[in-house]
Amino acid sequence: MLDFIISSYNMLVKFLLLAIVFVIGFSYKKYYSISSINYILLYIFHFSIAFFSWYLSSVSDNDAQYYFLNAEKATSWSSLFGFSSKAISFINYPFVNYLKFDFQLLFLVFSVVAFFGFLLLNKAAKRMLDGMKMKVLGIKFINIMIFLPSFHLWVSPIGKDSLIFFLQMWLLNLFFDFKKNKIKIFFIFLMVLFIRPYLVAYWLAAYILAVFLTNKKMIINAFLYSIIAALVFIIVKLYFQFDVFEYLSNRVKFISRYVDYRGDTGFFIDPLEYNLIYKMFLYIFGPTIFGASGFFQQFIALENILLLAIFVYGFLMFKIKYLKNNLLVITMCIYVLISWIIGSYMLYNFGISSRQKFLIIPFMFILMIYFHKQKILNKKA
């Protein structure tokens, strides 16, 4: 009887949550700069794929199930407090143990968070376009951007990706008025710190480098900071016996042995067999149509062809002069490069890269819109 009550309760909450999300999102469609028809289509599209993603997660062992079960089996809420994976289980604990959410309902909660991430991405894109139009392959670029199937598939599950996607899209919108939103940005970075600590380091490094590049007076400070960084590196290496480059090298060797142990499953590649440039290509555009195995990989490979065409178009628009000492744009460029290079260096699994690439691709999209706008403005000038 108790199981029936809990099951009925979960079903009711699912319907209520979906209804509330639709009404709230629709009532704020002007805030998110999205038309009524696009909002309805995005809502149906996102939650249909989220349901499919839930089905895939429910029939196989994966991170989403781990985060749910880890919270369910925990002896106390405080025992889960920590960074990275522990942070997700910590967030899940009250939903699972106090509110008695089942796996599907908790999955829906994370999918809702991702849905608002897409609305914020749409808002940022419209703000960057500033009334201008942009089409790629005859299709409105924003529609391509927010209706990529695998994008929704990978950021919907229970886990770090849905939360990071939402938080980064929130940050992106706040960056447009950086001076007014410093406190909000600080607290969002605190949340990111608990979920994916290294992303905060990437953003901090990108911002510092961007400040140096946009302010000639900072060149001396850049030199001084470089000396300090070198001293920190030497102290860490000598005192703590830790060499970051040796660590990365050993990590890749360990991954290579792991891949060899797993065998050729189609999703794994040996990172020692490829150079960094090719791994950077695979990180964003892999698996390729030639290396894909099975329907699922082949579908992703076809979508990757579209991504490749989009980014070739974006690359052809890029000119150094378009940066114009724009701190936000330069920071995003550096952040994308740092994330892309480090992620590619450690690449060994297309499943992981397919998820992680969608945490930097939104910024690539926004940069493409910026370069498109600058190209049009330069033609008019």
Side-chain angles (χ1 to χ4, degrees):
M1 183 65 180
L2 181 60
D3 289 341
F4 174 76
I5 293 173
I6 293 176
S7 177
S8 300
Y9 155 76
N10 272 271
M11 187 62 68
L12 177 62
V13 174
K14 289 167 197 172
F15 283 116
L16 284 174
L17 181 59
L18 284 170
I20 291 170
V21 166
F22 179 84
V23 171
I24 291 175
F26 192 82
S27 62
Y28 281 91
K29 64 183 186 294
K30 287 186 179 179
Y31 172 79
Y32 293 113
S33 304
I34 191 168
S35 66
S36 297
I37 185 64
N38 267 18
Y39 176 82
I40 294 170
L41 289 173
L42 181 65
Y43 178 88
I44 295 171
F45 186 78
H46 175 75
F47 287 108
S48 296
I49 293 178
F51 182 80
F52 177 65
S53 182
W54 162 79
Y55 171 76
L56 293 177
S57 297
S58 64
V59 297
S60 62
D61 293 332
N62 51 70
D63 290 346
Q65 285 200 21
Y66 165 78
Y67 292 130
F68 178 83
L69 294 173
N70 197 39
E72 187 178 49
K73 295 177 181 178
T75 55
S76 66
W77 193 3
S78 60
S79 67
L80 294 173
F81 185 77
F83 294 91
S84 194
S85 297
K86 290 193 75 174
I88 302 301
S89 297
F90 180 80
I91 292 169
N92 291 345
Y93 186 89
F95 291 102
V96 175
N97 294 285
Y98 299 151
L99 299 177
K100 299 300 178 183
F101 283 13
D102 61 19
F103 179 70
Q104 188 182 56
L105 179 51
L106 186 62
F107 201 102
L108 179 60
V109 170
F110 278 78
S111 299
V112 166
V113 173
F115 175 68
F116 282 99
F118 281 102
L119 291 176
L120 287 169
L121 174 57
N122 186 87
K123 177 180 173 65
K126 286 288 183 69
R127 184 162 185 177
M128 186 63 82
L129 274 172
D130 194 24
M132 294 183 181
K133 295 180 180 180
M134 180 179 178
K135 288 188 176 183
V136 178
L137 304 174
I139 306 171
K140 287 184 179 179
F141 182 67
I142 289 181
N143 289 345
I144 295 175
M145 188 177 66
I146 64 173
F147 287 106
L148 283 172
S150 63
F151 195 172
H152 293 262
L153 183 75
W154 291 116
V155 300
S156 292
I158 301 168
K160 291 175 275 190
D161 299 312
S162 54
L163 300 183
I164 290 296
F165 170 59
F166 169 76
L167 290 173
Q168 289 204 134
M169 293 305 96
W170 191 3
L171 279 171
L172 179 57
N173 281 274
L174 294 177
F175 284 157
F176 285 107
D177 296 307
F178 183 80
K179 292 181 179 179
K180 294 180 180 179
N181 297 311
K182 285 183 179 179
I183 295 176
K184 290 180 183 178
I185 290 171
F186 173 75
F187 281 106
I188 293 172
F189 270 124
L190 277 182
M191 289 186 275
V192 174
L193 181 66
F194 277 95
I195 301 168
R196 277 222 169 101
Y198 61 85
L199 289 183
V200 176
Y202 293 175
W203 275 114
L204 185 60
Y207 177 72
I208 291 172
L209 285 171
V211 169
F212 292 152
L213 291 171
T214 55
N215 190 340
K216 293 180 180 179
K217 294 179 181 179
M218 298 298 290
I219 293 176
I220 296 175
N221 288 338
F223 178 71
L224 293 174
Y225 277 114
S226 298
I227 294 175
I228 293 171
L231 288 173
V232 170
F233 176 79
I234 293 170
I235 292 170
V236 169
K237 184 176 181 178
L238 296 178
Y239 185 78
F240 294 102
Q241 299 296 308
F242 179 78
D243 187 326
V244 64
F245 298 109
E246 184 180 348
Y247 166 78
L248 290 173
S249 177
N250 290 335
R251 179 66 178 168
V252 170
K253 289 176 182 177
F254 169 78
I255 291 170
S256 178
R257 292 194 298 271
Y258 173 73
V259 171
D260 185 60
Y261 167 76
R262 288 297 300 263
D264 184 15
T265 61
F267 261 79
F268 291 88
I269 65 168
D270 189 338
L272 292 178
E273 290 185 2
Y274 304 98
N275 60 54
L276 180 60
I277 300 299
Y278 186 57
K279 285 193 290 186
M280 288 178 70
F281 176 83
L282 290 176
Y283 188 80
I284 301 294
F285 308 113
T288 64
I289 195 69
F290 305 105
S293 59
F295 174 78
F296 188 61
Q297 279 200 37
Q298 288 171 353
F299 178 81
I300 294 175
L302 288 173
E303 191 178 88
N304 285 336
I305 293 174
L306 174 62
L307 280 177
L308 180 59
I310 290 170
F311 285 116
V312 168
Y313 174 78
F315 179 77
L316 293 174
M317 287 192 297
F318 174 76
K319 290 183 180 179
I320 293 293
K321 69 177 183 179
Y322 290 165
L323 298 178
K324 291 181 179 177
N325 288 333
N326 188 310
L327 183 61
L328 171 60
V329 171
I330 295 174
T331 301
M332 283 197 290
C333 285
I334 297 172
Y335 171 73
V336 166
L337 282 174
I338 292 173
S339 301
W340 191 359
I341 290 170
I342 295 176
S344 301
Y345 182 76
M346 309 291 280
L347 173 65
Y348 73 97
N349 183 299
F350 284 130
I352 293 174
S353 65
S354 294
R355 294 202 313 265
Q356 292 182 348
K357 75 181 183 183
F358 282 114
L359 300 181
I360 61 172
I361 279 179
F363 296 101
M364 292 178 168
F365 285 155
I366 296 299
L367 288 170
M368 284 179 61
I369 291 172
Y370 173 79
F371 296 137
H372 170 80
K373 183 172 74 172
Q374 292 303 312
K375 183 180 178 180
I376 292 174
L377 291 174
N378 272 266
K379 283 183 178 180
K380 291 180 178 180

